[in-house]
Amino acid sequence: RSSTKEFIKFLNISQGSLAELLTQLTLSADFGYLTNDELSQVEAKIESLGKMTSSAILNMKARLARPI
């Protein structure tokens, strides 16, 4: 992205996309398209990606707060 603020916005959108994906996967498991074990494996990966994204957002915000 061309700026730190724009990158933070992109990261926030990606967090929303992870939440949407989790919802869709949960529904898939409810309808029998995924087993609970498969869902658990994917949930762990989504959680990990969410933590990485949150960390990146905090780092970017700290970068913006630093004086030049």
Side-chain angles (χ1 to χ4, degrees):
R1 298 289 169 187
S2 61
S3 71
T4 302
K5 286 183 181 182
E6 188 178 5
F7 187 57
I8 291 170
K9 183 177 178 180
F10 172 77
L11 291 171
N12 281 316
I13 291 169
S14 69
Q15 282 188 313
S17 296
L18 283 173
E20 288 177 19
L21 176 61
L22 181 57
T23 299
Q24 292 171 0
L25 290 169
T26 302
L27 287 171
S28 295
D30 289 345
F31 289 118
Y33 294 107
L34 291 174
T35 65
N36 286 335
D37 188 45
E38 290 170 328
L39 179 61
S40 294
Q41 290 175 12
V42 177
E43 281 177 327
K45 291 178 183 180
I46 289 173
E47 182 180 347
S48 176
L49 287 169
K51 287 178 182 179
M52 286 189 271
T53 305
S54 293
S55 177
I57 290 169
L58 290 174
N59 287 332
M60 293 292 116
K61 285 182 177 181
R63 182 182 292 181
L64 282 176
R66 279 187 230 136
I68 297 175

